[in-house]
Amino acid sequence: MKIAIAGHPTYGGSGVVAAELGMALADRGHEIHFVSYQAPFRMDPLHPRVTFHEVEVTSYPLFKYPPYALALSTKLLTVVREFGVETIHAHYAIPHSIAAYLAQEMCRDCGVKSVTTLHGTDITLVGSDPSFFEITKFAMEKSDAVTAVSRYLADATRDRFELERTVDVIPNFIDPVEYSPLHRSTDLRRRFATDEEVLLCHISNFRPVKRIPDVVEVFSRVAAKRPARLLMIGSGPEVMLAQAQACKLGIADRITWLGSIDQVAEPLACADLFLLPSDGESFGLAALEAMASGVPCIATAAGGVPEVIDSGRTGLLCAVGDTEAMASGALDILESRAGYQEMSEAARTVAIERFALDKVVGQYERLYENLVCRETSG
Ligand code: GMT
């Protein structure tokens, strides 16, 4: 099939999923057209069936806010016409879903279908804001198919937007070869911690929803009880605040800040535990990546996270803000080598059994095929 994928290309879960889905579909023989203002950072531009189409927005003094959504719709239309694209897949509703709808309307004869995948904050934060609510609802109603990355998000979407239509659940996925305990390298780990220290890790875009102060607090409590280090990967608005907090707590020298990096699999596999104390999380892709790497997660039972982590078996779920429970849970898990090993193996097994790329990408393929078949048979 010929599929156009529109998404946010920068660091963030929805961009990762859009890029990795596109690459997996290209590996399966589909022709993939990424359409965005920048190439997604996990896209391989050299893949023979992958093309990137840059959306350029003309700047003009009259525009205080350049109308990106209109330029995106126009670029989608061009790509649909030029390459015979059959489906536009919008990742993250705003503004991709409405842009896909406009492209469809501008070319009704093309018969192109649209799929919207909801990722989380496009519903729970941004889409719920009065400035975007009605257009997000309208775009979802007009999309030929809507999917959400967890049952929690599908239910929240229908409730908040009072949608009549179905929202299918297709969970996020991982490549178990890319994320694997086999990437754990002793040499790399020694850059972050000694062999006697435990290594905790957090990866995110450091936005308030991730509760970065809780990451630092949990680590501080663990480090007070046993030799420990913290590895922080990513960048965002909360970094400086967290660095100041670490200085105040006297643990700044125990934390490595890697910033944003394209490939997280190797440093992640070096960790012993992953921390995800978010306020809300539609799915928690970073936790799944950790699990596939054999790294159990200490997380909050927020949103869709309980659909990913089985508390007590593949990690631990605590109440939002309960840093004491997270720290004591982390210490308990690290206490027994055999118990830790069992949890680490269970995390990897569950990640593969429920969320391996092979199983999930097939669900998207069937969705596209059903839409296109419905058109030809109707
Ligand atoms: O919050 C982020 O890290 C970024 C955000 C995004 O859309 O880029 O992530 C959302 O989508 C991810 C992929 O589907 C999910 O794993 C995250 O849970 C979700 N974030 C939130 O719901 C806060």
Side-chain angles (χ1 to χ4, degrees):
M1 289 190 69
K2 296 181 180 188
I3 301 151
I5 295 183
H8 294 292
T10 46
Y11 298 93
S14 65
V16 170
V17 173
E20 291 189 345
L21 174 63
M23 295 311 303
L25 289 165
D27 284 343
R28 289 171 171 227
H30 302 284
E31 184 179 305
I32 302 300
H33 297 268
F34 285 103
V35 184
S36 192
Y37 59 86
Q38 188 183 300
F41 74 99
R42 293 208 187 159
M43 181 196 97
D44 173 7
L46 301 179
H47 194 292
R49 284 179 294 281
V50 169
T51 311
F52 170 62
H53 305 270
E54 185 178 348
V55 179
E56 284 167 289
V57 191
T58 304
S59 66
Y60 186 66
L62 192 65
F63 297 150
K64 186 174 173 197
Y65 306 106
Y68 176 71
L70 301 185
L72 172 63
S73 314
T74 310
K75 180 61 86 176
L76 283 170
L77 173 69
T78 312
V79 172
V80 166
R81 280 200 181 130
E82 193 175 330
F83 297 94
V85 162
E86 296 152 283
T87 302
I88 301 172
H89 193 160
H91 283 267
Y92 204 91
I94 303 165
H96 307 107
S97 191
I98 196 68
Y101 168 71
L102 288 175
Q104 278 183 300
E105 283 295 296
M106 285 188 281
C107 187
R108 286 202 176 161
D109 294 348
C110 304
V112 63
K113 298 294 172 189
S114 63
V115 175
T116 299
T117 289
L118 307 171
H119 282 274
T121 50
D122 45 354
I123 293 302
T124 56
L125 287 176
V126 192
S128 297
D129 186 274
S131 58
F132 290 121
F133 183 85
E134 289 297 343
I135 196 140
T136 306
K137 179 175 161 82
F138 177 79
M140 284 191 286
E141 273 162 357
K142 291 294 177 187
S143 197
D144 291 305
V146 177
T147 74
V149 297
S150 63
R151 167 62 44 209
Y152 153 79
L153 185 60
D155 292 345
T157 305
R158 270 197 307 270
D159 289 353
R160 284 183 192 217
F161 289 87
E162 296 180 348
L163 288 187
E164 297 294 324
R165 63 161 312 137
T166 55
V167 177
D168 297 318
V169 179
I170 301 186
N172 286 329
F173 56 87
I174 37 94
D175 177 349
V177 178
E178 190 185 341
Y179 291 93
S180 161
L182 295 176
H183 295 314
R184 189 175 170 110
S185 141
T186 307
D187 283 350
L188 181 62
R189 192 182 187 282
R190 284 182 184 152
R191 283 183 51 193
F192 312 126
T194 66
D195 295 350
E196 289 70 42
E197 290 166 329
V198 289
L199 181 62
L200 277 58
C201 177
H202 173 78
I203 304 175
S204 77
N205 44 25
F206 289 77
R207 283 193 261 139
V209 71
K210 304 291 174 183
R211 291 184 71 99
I212 302 302
D214 287 4
V215 175
V216 177
E217 175 71 29
V218 172
F219 171 68
S220 170
R221 286 173 182 272
V222 171
K225 295 279 177 200
R226 60 180 295 170
R229 298 266 175 178
L230 176 62
L231 179 59
M232 298 286 246
I233 304 178
S235 56
E238 299 278 284
V239 167
M240 280 172 68
L241 210 72
Q243 288 173 338
Q245 182 191 1
C247 283
K248 222 168 148 187
L249 291 167
I251 50 169
D253 61 333
R254 316 205 65 76
I255 306 179
T256 305
W257 301 84
L258 278 191
S260 293
I261 53 174
D262 283 356
Q263 305 300 335
V264 296
E266 286 188 22
L268 179 55
C270 293
D272 300 306
L273 287 178
F274 187 81
L275 302 178
L276 191 68
S278 305
D279 225 357
E281 202 70 62
S282 69
F283 182 91
L285 182 62
L288 176 60
E289 292 173 346
M291 284 166 61
S293 309
V295 181
C297 301
I298 311 291
T300 42
V305 180
E307 295 172 50
V308 182
I309 297 171
D310 299 336
S311 194
R313 184 170 164 239
T314 61
L316 181 73
L317 296 178
C318 300
V320 173
D322 194 347
T323 51
E324 201 182 323
M326 286 183 244
S328 68
L331 288 162
D332 287 349
I333 291 168
L334 294 164
E335 183 71 34
S336 136
R337 186 175 281 269
Y340 174 83
Q341 200 50 36
E342 196 180 320
M343 187 171 269
S344 159
E345 280 164 21
R348 167 125 178 118
T349 304
V350 167
I352 295 173
E353 278 173 5
R354 290 197 214 149
F355 304 107
L357 178 143
D358 275 359
K359 288 176 188 134
V360 180
V361 173
Q363 296 180 45
Y364 281 114
E365 281 179 306
R366 283 191 290 282
L367 180 74
Y368 304 144
E369 278 157 16
N370 286 340
L371 288 180
V372 174
C373 289
R374 216 195 292 161
E375 172 74 5
T376 41
S377 63

